[in-house]
Amino acid sequence: MDDDLPPDLDRLRTLETWADLYLTRIRTRIAAVERQQARPPQQAPAPTAVPPSRPAAGPRPARPPDWGLAEAGIGVSVTEIHRGDCWASGKKLLPVTAERARAELAGGARACDACRPDRVLHGRDRP
């Protein structure tokens, strides 16, 4: 006897049922592929001049702000300035203008080490 099969009848019957269902799925897929291969190849439809319409899925997600302020709190020793799309900004980012971000940096706020907003805000680097 095979060692990889269970020894009891209940589990063997369960495996038999599963194998039968799976074999039926495989045979159905084989038949569909054979039918598809038996058909003559069809040409792809010509592209249309009308762009596809946008699905009506409700409002778009809000655009991230250009700059943000992460307030000091648990795990954050000082206020940090981030770019709006920074992955390290945390969940609560207060949107601020570029002028406010510059003022906060001048006032002692820390620039994020990941997105380096100080370089962009002070003109030393362009995004």
Side-chain angles (χ1 to χ4, degrees):
M1 291 188 98
D2 293 332
D3 293 336
D4 61 338
L5 295 175
D8 59 299
L9 187 59
D10 287 339
R11 288 190 287 173
L12 286 169
R13 292 287 183 200
T14 300
L15 286 174
E16 178 185 35
T17 301
W18 178 85
D20 186 45
L21 291 170
Y22 206 73
L23 186 58
T24 301
R25 286 183 60 206
I26 292 170
R27 288 181 176 151
T28 302
R29 178 68 54 94
I30 288 171
V33 170
E34 286 175 342
R35 283 191 304 272
Q36 183 181 7
Q37 289 179 353
R39 283 190 226 140
Q42 295 180 351
Q43 293 182 1
T48 61
V50 178
S53 63
R54 200 173 110 225
R60 289 182 173 174
R63 181 180 163 275
D66 291 334
W67 308 103
L69 185 84
E71 293 290 337
I74 297 173
V76 180
S77 57
V78 296
T79 301
E80 285 186 336
I81 302 297
H82 294 270
R83 291 170 70 167
D85 59 353
C86 178
W87 61 269
S89 64
K91 291 184 180 180
K92 294 185 179 183
L93 189 67
L94 175 69
V96 295
T97 63
E99 292 78 25
R100 167 102 188 264
R102 284 187 193 97
E104 291 286 340
L105 287 170
R110 183 173 171 265
C112 172
D113 291 330
C115 66
R116 299 305 308 254
D118 53 333
R119 290 183 177 177
V120 178
L121 287 167
H122 294 310
R124 292 188 299 240
D125 192 358
R126 297 285 176 226

